Amino acid sequence: MKKILMIGIPAGLQGMMFSIANVCIQSAINSFGSNAIAGSAASLNFEFFAYFIVNAFAQTTVTFTSQNYGAGEVDRCKKVFRLNAAAAAVFVLGRGFFLRLYTTDEAVLVFAAQRLLIVTTLELLTSTYEISAGAMRGLGHSLLPAIITCVGSCLLRLVWIA
């Protein structure tokens, strides 16, 4: 039970901090008006697609790393870091097409394309620390990945918004 809590509590706090940061970011976006809000909402759908791919790899990394580490196959643990940003690239390069699925309003598309370009381009950085965090959790370390993710996903985003 102690090991479960030592891994689970930092991961849970990390998720909570991420949600709080998102509320602050949305509040800042709201200050730009209705076109920015609509553009942000359209872009957010594609950010979720890109993030869910990264998150799936990060969650898989926990299991893959812990199984291989437990079996003494440390070299196999290193293979998990070979991830590319293909999904983010698809959304960035095809942003005009994808965003027009949600809106044809040119003013809204300006905000949507801007957010999509910035955020999905940075998914490569997200994958770096999310997958590393998954590997560290697989090795039984949860506090440091939670701190790194809170700084990367929360603190830096809030500083950028400010």
Side-chain angles (χ1 to χ4, degrees):
M1 181 65 143
K2 181 181 175 184
K3 282 188 173 187
I4 291 171
L5 292 175
M6 298 266 311
I7 292 174
I9 289 174
L13 290 173
Q14 171 186 328
M16 181 184 72
M17 290 293 296
F18 193 81
S19 295
I20 291 170
N22 283 343
V23 168
C24 294
I25 290 168
Q26 186 61 51
S27 177
I29 291 169
N30 292 351
S31 71
F32 291 112
S34 61
N35 287 335
I37 295 167
S40 176
S43 176
L44 193 58
N45 291 303
F46 299 105
E47 289 173 41
F48 284 147
F49 294 145
Y51 177 75
F52 288 152
I53 291 168
V54 169
N55 188 266
F57 273 95
Q59 297 303 316
T60 303
T61 299
V62 175
T63 304
F64 180 84
T65 303
S66 62
Q67 288 176 341
N68 283 290
Y69 183 71
E73 298 285 341
V74 178
D75 288 338
R76 293 187 73 200
C77 294
K78 296 176 185 174
K79 291 181 181 180
V80 79
F81 292 101
R82 296 185 186 136
L83 172 70
N84 63 40
V90 167
F91 294 126
V92 168
L93 296 175
R95 66 186 174 274
F97 168 77
F98 290 119
L99 293 172
R100 287 188 190 282
L101 294 173
Y102 289 91
T103 184
T104 56
D105 184 325
E106 290 300 321
V108 171
L109 285 169
V110 168
F111 286 103
Q114 187 177 29
R115 177 175 175 144
L116 183 71
L117 183 62
I118 292 167
V119 176
T120 54
T121 300
L122 295 174
E123 278 303 318
L124 181 59
L125 295 176
T126 302
S127 67
T128 301
Y129 63 78
E130 288 284 341
I131 292 171
S132 298
M136 290 180 74
R137 283 191 185 94
L139 296 171
H141 306 286
S142 187
L143 183 58
L144 183 59
I147 292 170
I148 291 169
T149 300
C150 284
V151 169
S153 285
C154 300
L155 183 62
L156 292 178
R157 291 166 68 206
L158 295 175
V159 167
W160 185 32
I161 289 295

